[in-house]
Amino acid sequence: MVSRPEQPAKIRLLGSFEIQLGERFLFAQDWPRKKAAALLKRLALERRLLKDQAIEFLWPDAGFDTGANNLYRTIHVLRQTLDTNLGQGAAEVIFRFEDGILSLASQVWVDTQEFEQLCAASAAGHLDQRSAALEQALSLYRGDLLPDDRYEEWTLVSRQELFRRQREARLALAAYRRDRRDYPGAILLLTPLLASDKADEPAHRELMRLYTLSGQRHEALRQYQACVDALAEEIDAPPAPETAALYAQILSGELSPPPAPVHTLWSPPAAIELETRRRAPLAGRSSELEKLRTWMQIERHGQGRTILIAGESGVGKTRLAYEALHTAAAAGMITLVGAAYEQEGQMAYQPFIEAFDRYLAEHQRSPDENPITSFKPRGNGDPQQEQWALFNTTAAFLAGLALTLPVALLVDDLHAADETSLHLFHYLARQTREAPVVLLAAYRSDLAFAERMQGEAAATTFGALLNALYRERLCETVTLAPLEEGATSSVVAHVLGGEAAPEVGKTVFEFTAGNPFYAEEVARALLKSGQVEDHAGLWRLRPGAELRIPADLAELLRERVKRLGAPVEEALTA
C-alpha cells in the first residue's frame, strides 16, 4: 500500500516552475519529458482540463486516436516523474485523471491563485489589512509567469494579467508607505517596475514625488529626465501634463519634504492610571522594575522584545507591569493593555481585541480599525490559511503603530487566555522582532506548578507556549518572589494610613509569607475589625489581637489549593 504524503503539494509558476512536497523539490530542469511538464503547468494554471483540451494543447495536428495514445503515455511519464522525485504517492495527491477529465487536487496550493486571492483581498478591510494583503501578494511574485515559456501563446494572456496586478499592487503599497513616510520602502517597491518597462510614466512620477519627500531633490530631477528620455525612446512622446506639473512643483519648491513630526507623549490607558493611583505604592520591586525599564528602552527603528512576568497569585505581577507601562508612556511609547479573564470563559482573541478597542476608543479612532474584529476571511476554505492571514494583519497593525512611536502591548493573565490568543502571542513574538514593539505578558507560575503536580495529561497550550518561547529564545522573563519583611511593612503602612509598629509588619509578613495582595487584605481586615489602634501616629496591635484570614481571601486560597489536585488538598487540609 502506497502511503500518501501528509503535507499538501505546492506548485510555483511565478519566476520559475517548481513543485514542493514536504522537504522534496522538483525543478524545471529535472523533467525528462517537456510535454509532461507542460501538461502539469497548464493544469496548475487552470486546475482542470478536458481530455480533448489536453490533446489539442499538446498535439494540435494529431488525430484523435493518436492524440489519446500520446496523452496516456504522457500522463504515465508525469506520474513517474512526480513519484520518483517527490516520493511514492506524490502523483496521486497532486492530480487526478478520471472520466476524461484531468484535475488538480483541491488541496494543492498554487502561487498564482494565492497571489490573485490576496490582490482581491486588498480591496476590502481597513488600510492596515489591505496593506498586509499586498505585502503577502508581492512576496509571492518572484518573477513573471513561467519565464521559460515566455513565448508560448497559451501563457501570454495570464502573464500579462498577473504582471498588471503586480504593478497595481506595487503602486498601491508604495502609496501606503509614502503616507506613513516610509520613503525608502516605497522607492524599493517601484524601481523594479522600470526594469520591466522603462516608459512606465506613473512609476516615474511616483518616484519623483518620493525622492522629493525624502529630501533627495536632485534624484527627483534626475528621475524626471530619465522619464523624458524613456518616453522619447520607447513611444516617441513627451511627458504627460501631470508629470510636467509635478516637475514644476519640485523646481519651485512647492513640493518639499514634510516637517519632522512633533512627538507628543501618549498618556497611559485609563485602566493603568486608575490602577497605579488606587493601589499601594510599588514596594520591594526596584530591581525588577529597573530591569523592565531597561528592556523596554527601544528606539523607534530598534528591534522588538517579548517580556514575561511570572509569579504566584497576588505577588504583584500586574502592579509591576502597570508601573512599567506607566514609565513607558511617560517616555513616549504607545501603550496598549488587554487581559484574559478566567470567569468569562476563553473568548477567542479577547486580550488583543480588548487592547485594540481600548486604544482606538481613547484616541478617537474608528473601531473598524481593529485588525481582529474587522478581519474579513478570504473564503478559501483553509482554516490555517485564514488564521495566518488574521495573524499577519494583527502584526501589520502593530507595525503600523510603531512607525510613529515604539509600542508596548501588555497581555495580563496570559495563562487564562484561549488557545487562539496563545498562538497569536507566539506569532507576534516572532514577527515583531524587527519592529520597535514590546510584548509584555504576566502569568501565574503556580498554575504551571499545579499542572506538573497533576501529571503530563494536564499539559496545556499555555505550557507549550512557554516552552516554545524559551526554546526559540524569544523572551526575557522576570520571576517575582514574595516581598521581604521591610517591603511588606510598607504595604501594611499604606493600607493603615500611617506608620506601623515593627511587630505589626512582622506579624503580617509571617502570616502572609510576603505576598503583597494577601498583606493588603489582612491589613484591611485588621483595620476593619479594630484589632489595630493608632498610638501617637504609630499603629499597634491591640492586646489579644488574633490574625485571621478574611473570608473572601480564604475562598481564594481554597481555590488555589484545589488546583494542586485532591491528594495535595487533603494533605494541606490535614
Side-chain angles (χ1 to χ4, degrees):
M1 179 178 178
V2 176
S3 61
R4 296 186 180 185
E6 294 182 359
Q7 296 173 293
K10 294 184 175 182
I11 300 179
R12 294 180 175 87
L13 306 176
L14 294 169
S16 63
F17 174 51
E18 64 183 58
I19 307 170
Q20 179 184 358
L21 190 56
E23 301 297 321
R24 304 179 74 168
F25 289 83
L26 175 58
F27 298 103
Q29 63 270 21
D30 299 329
W31 286 84
R33 297 287 186 270
K34 298 302 181 185
K35 287 191 181 297
L39 183 60
L40 186 58
K41 292 174 186 177
R42 182 76 177 263
L43 184 60
L45 197 60
E46 300 180 18
R47 297 202 78 98
R48 186 175 183 272
L49 284 174
L50 298 178
K51 176 181 175 180
D52 293 352
Q53 289 177 309
I55 293 172
E56 176 66 22
F57 167 52
L58 294 173
W59 303 279
D61 299 324
F64 180 81
D65 291 339
T66 302
N69 290 332
N70 290 342
L71 179 61
Y72 295 138
R73 284 195 293 269
T74 300
I75 291 175
H76 177 70
V77 172
L78 176 57
R79 292 186 187 277
Q80 278 190 322
T81 304
L82 293 173
D83 288 345
T84 300
N85 289 272
L86 301 176
Q88 281 300 115
E92 187 177 355
V93 302
I94 292 175
F95 77 95
R96 301 277 193 279
F97 182 46
E98 298 173 346
D99 301 325
I101 300 175
L102 267 169
S103 58
L104 202 67
S106 59
Q107 69 271 20
V108 175
W109 178 91
V110 183
D111 60 353
T112 53
Q113 289 151 17
E114 182 72 7
F115 171 79
E116 289 176 321
Q117 289 173 1
L118 288 167
C119 287
S122 69
H126 62 69
L127 201 56
D128 288 333
Q129 286 180 317
R130 297 201 297 270
S131 67
L134 291 172
E135 292 272 11
Q136 296 172 50
L138 290 174
S139 70
L140 295 176
Y141 200 95
R142 304 183 304 172
D144 292 344
L145 175 70
L146 296 170
D148 293 339
D149 301 281
R150 186 173 302 278
Y151 303 107
E152 295 290 337
E153 186 175 348
W154 64 274
T155 68
L156 297 180
V157 173
S158 294
R159 181 178 297 108
Q160 291 170 359
E161 176 62 18
L162 290 165
F163 178 84
R164 181 188 66 79
R165 291 195 174 198
Q166 172 258 171
R167 177 181 176 276
E168 290 177 352
R170 287 183 180 275
L171 288 169
L173 189 56
Y176 173 87
R177 291 182 176 178
R178 181 195 66 212
D179 292 343
R180 279 153 178 73
R181 300 189 181 185
D182 180 14
Y183 304 127
I187 292 169
L188 195 63
L189 276 170
L190 296 183
T191 47
L193 293 181
L194 297 181
S196 300
D197 180 6
K198 293 191 299 182
D200 188 340
E201 192 170 0
H204 279 290
R205 197 159 51 239
E206 185 61 21
L207 283 168
M208 290 165 59
R209 183 176 291 108
L210 288 167
Y211 281 129
T212 303
L213 293 174
S214 64
Q216 302 178 70
R217 182 173 178 272
H218 63 289
E219 288 294 341
L221 298 176
R222 185 180 298 172
Q223 192 69 49
Y224 174 75
Q225 190 58 51
C227 177
V228 172
D229 295 343
L231 290 171
E233 179 182 345
E234 298 290 324
I235 59 175
D236 191 22
E242 54 262 48
T243 305
L246 178 62
Y247 175 64
Q249 286 181 313
I250 296 170
L251 278 179
S252 66
E254 184 180 346
L255 180 66
S256 59
V262 178
H263 291 155
T264 57
L265 300 183
W266 294 99
S267 298
I272 295 178
E273 282 288 346
L274 181 62
E275 183 72 14
T276 52
R277 286 178 182 177
R278 74 179 183 182
R279 297 299 298 273
L282 194 66
R285 301 297 187 203
S286 57
S287 62
E288 292 91 342
L289 180 58
E290 185 58 35
K291 185 179 292 185
L292 286 181
R293 286 171 171 167
T294 300
W295 285 343
M296 294 176 70
Q297 286 177 353
I298 57 175
E299 301 296 328
R300 180 181 170 191
H301 300 291
Q303 290 187 330
R305 178 174 280 121
T306 298
I307 305 170
L308 303 180
I309 304 175
E312 65 179 20
S313 177
V315 81
K317 304 177 297 297
T318 301
R319 183 70 180 82
L320 178 64
Y322 278 13
E323 194 70 32
L325 276 193
H326 198 283
T327 302
M333 293 184 76
I334 297 174
T335 52
L336 303 89
V337 59
Y341 304 96
E342 294 183 65
Q343 299 308 313
E344 295 181 13
Q346 294 190 324
M347 298 170 61
Y349 305 114
Q350 178 180 350
F352 298 97
I353 292 173
E354 179 182 80
F356 299 149
D357 277 347
R358 179 180 286 154
Y359 170 81
L360 294 171
E362 291 182 350
H363 293 86
Q364 299 181 340
R365 292 172 58 173
S366 170
D368 292 340
E369 294 185 59
N370 189 313
I372 298 177
T373 55
S374 299
F375 177 77
K376 290 182 173 56
R378 299 202 302 270
N380 60 11
D382 186 340
Q384 286 188 328
Q385 287 289 330
E386 297 286 11
Q387 187 180 65
W388 182 86
L390 185 147
F391 286 5
N392 195 61
T393 299
T394 305
F397 175 82
L398 287 174
L401 291 181
L403 288 175
T404 55
L405 290 170
V407 173
L409 166 61
L410 168 64
V411 179
D412 199 14
D413 285 340
L414 182 64
H415 60 272
D418 65 287
E419 187 173 347
T420 57
S421 293
L422 298 178
H423 291 321
L424 176 56
F425 189 90
H426 180 263
Y427 181 86
L428 294 177
R430 290 193 304 106
Q431 296 299 319
T432 57
R433 300 294 283 181
E434 301 303 320
V437 175
V438 173
L439 290 180
L440 187 62
Y443 73 89
R444 285 176 55 179
S445 55
D446 49 329
L447 288 182
F449 173 74
E451 288 167 9
R452 290 197 296 271
M453 294 293 294
Q454 295 175 42
E456 294 182 3
T460 65
T461 305
F462 178 65
L465 169 65
L466 294 183
N467 290 336
L469 293 174
Y470 171 75
R471 182 178 63 253
E472 298 166 25
R473 301 182 184 278
L474 290 175
C475 69
E476 307 283 356
T477 303
V478 174
T479 302
L480 298 187
L483 297 178
E484 295 181 354
E485 183 177 336
T488 304
S489 297
S490 298
V491 173
V492 172
H494 172 78
V495 174
L496 298 179
E499 187 178 354
E503 68 270 15
V504 177
K506 180 179 178 63
T507 302
V508 174
F509 170 72
E510 292 176 346
F511 192 70
T512 62
N515 184 294
F517 176 72
Y518 300 165
E520 282 191 55
E521 293 301 301
V522 169
R524 286 195 179 95
L526 287 173
L527 190 61
K528 186 176 180 180
S529 63
Q531 296 192 76
V532 288
E533 55 186 0
D534 186 0
H535 285 277
L538 188 66
W539 288 92
R540 295 185 179 277
L541 288 171
R542 288 184 182 275
E546 181 180 353
L547 269 67
R548 293 183 180 180
I549 300 176
D552 291 343
L553 182 56
E555 284 299 319
L556 182 63
L557 293 173
R558 189 170 292 112
E559 180 188 350
R560 287 187 57 200
V561 170
K562 285 181 179 178
R563 293 180 184 273
L564 301 178
V568 178
E569 183 182 2
E570 291 173 5
L572 290 177
T573 301

